Amino acid sequence: MTLLSVEDLTVSTRHDKPLVSRVSFSVDRRQRTGLIGESGSGKTLIALSIMGLLPDSLKAEGEVLLDGEPLLNRPDRELTVLRGNAMSMIFQEPMSAMNPLMRVGRQLGEPLSIHRGLSRSDADARA
């Protein structure tokens, strides 16, 4: 079953200058998918669109479904509930995305403790 479906995603400026044009892909449960491209090709804009984290100066159009539920133009308070629980993102800059003083497993388990109420040991084991 498809977990994430992205169809004809276009990210543009508020003045309709396209930055990402008509991207489509899907990710099934337990599947891992990587976005590969040169610097500036739009990988981060795609991810920010999915997460509902685009700056106000940009807009996303198309269809993004998580478990069949639309994400684009969803109220921020609803997306906040999903972020860290149903979806999450590790930003690409390693020195700001990950804490070098904390083990990776602990960092990956932290959202499980916060959003799902798992104990530290259960979150660490799951991570």
Side-chain angles (χ1 to χ4, degrees), residues 7-85:
E7 294 292 328
D8 292 326
L9 177 65
T10 297
V11 180
S12 56
T13 66
R14 292 289 171 195
H15 302 293
D16 293 323
K17 177 184 177 193
L19 303 173
V20 173
S21 297
R22 301 188 56 174
V23 171
S24 297
F25 63 92
S26 63
V27 180
D28 292 336
R29 293 187 186 286
R30 303 197 186 280
Q31 178 185 5
R32 289 167 180 80
T33 300
L35 295 177
I36 299 171
E38 294 181 25
S39 179
S41 64
K43 302 178 299 292
T44 300
L45 288 177
I46 292 167
L48 290 173
S49 298
I50 292 168
M51 297 292 293
L53 296 172
L54 279 177
D56 291 338
S57 59
L58 301 178
K59 62 181 178 177
E61 298 173 306
E63 185 174 65
V64 176
L65 304 175
L66 179 66
D67 251 347
E69 296 293 321
L71 294 181
L72 293 184
N73 303 315
R74 204 163 182 173
D76 194 53
R77 70 180 184 284
E78 291 179 18
L79 290 171
T80 299
V81 173
L82 294 174
R83 291 185 203 123
N85 191 22

